[in-house]
Amino acid sequence: MPRLEEDKIKETVPKTELVGFLQVCGYKCTPERDRVAKALDENWKALTVLELQEETGLPRMTIHRILKTLRKEGLAHFSPSFNAYFACRRLMQARRRTSCHSFGICKNCKGVKESIEEGHAHPKFPNFHNEASEHEWLGLCTTCKIKA
């Protein structure tokens, strides 16, 4: 029995923004990618691979491969301070290579605030090629500051 046109349309509609951007970049919308992207989209904090594994039920290596793809396409970011990942909240701006991302990450709840500066001049160092355009700031969010 042929599938209804409506069923075909539902299959192509991305379930999350991240998966939608991956599709635009030429990647397939797999259930695994959708689960990781959904976990990142729904949490406004940095998540470790272990936390993503607990939330999605996926093997660690699968999560690492998906995160590598999301980072390569500028759709997720990595916090070296927490060894954790979070979704890019400025997806359209992130696609431009002239922008500079700054992240405020709460040391208590790991909540993330993102800011993008267009045309930001990165520091120039002689004989050094800068490959990153992200800056991480650690502190306390307003909620955690009030509770402290």
Side-chain angles (χ1 to χ4, degrees):
M1 179 170 148
R3 295 184 81 146
L4 298 173
E5 191 64 31
E6 186 176 313
D7 289 340
K8 289 181 184 177
I9 291 170
K10 283 182 185 175
E11 282 182 3
T12 61
V13 174
K15 297 174 184 164
T16 65
E17 284 187 49
L18 294 180
V19 172
F21 274 93
L22 278 176
Q23 285 181 311
V24 168
C25 296
Y27 295 91
K28 289 182 180 179
C29 177
T30 65
E32 293 83 6
R33 285 184 181 143
D34 187 59
R35 283 161 60 188
V36 171
K38 185 177 180 182
L40 291 173
D41 268 345
E42 290 178 350
N43 288 285
W44 285 76
K45 65 178 189 173
L47 298 171
T48 64
V49 172
L50 182 59
E51 290 169 324
L52 284 167
Q53 186 179 18
E54 289 171 1
E55 190 154 329
T56 64
L58 295 171
R60 215 174 300 164
M61 287 309 299
T62 301
I63 293 169
H64 277 291
R65 280 193 302 273
I66 293 167
L67 289 170
K68 182 179 178 181
T69 301
L70 290 170
R71 288 192 67 208
K72 175 183 160 199
E73 296 300 333
L75 304 175
H77 302 291
F78 175 71
S79 166
S81 301
F82 292 102
N83 195 26
Y85 300 84
F86 51 95
C88 181
R89 298 291 171 205
R90 309 288 175 112
L91 293 172
M92 292 306 290
Q93 292 168 313
R95 304 301 296 158
R96 297 186 210 122
R97 298 295 179 208
T98 60
S99 63
C100 174
H101 288 257
S102 293
F103 309 104
I105 303 178
C106 179
K107 295 188 298 185
N108 188 40
C109 71
K110 296 194 316 185
V112 178
K113 300 287 184 192
E114 183 174 359
S115 172
I116 295 182
E117 301 172 35
E118 288 297 324
H120 179 72
H122 302 292
K124 304 259 190 240
F125 300 103
N127 302 318
F128 184 81
H129 177 70
N130 187 20
E131 293 183 355
S133 60
E134 300 176 349
H135 302 99
E136 180 178 272
W137 301 90
L138 299 178
L140 293 174
C141 68
T142 306
T143 305
C144 291
K145 180 74 174 168
I146 291 170
K147 289 178 184 177

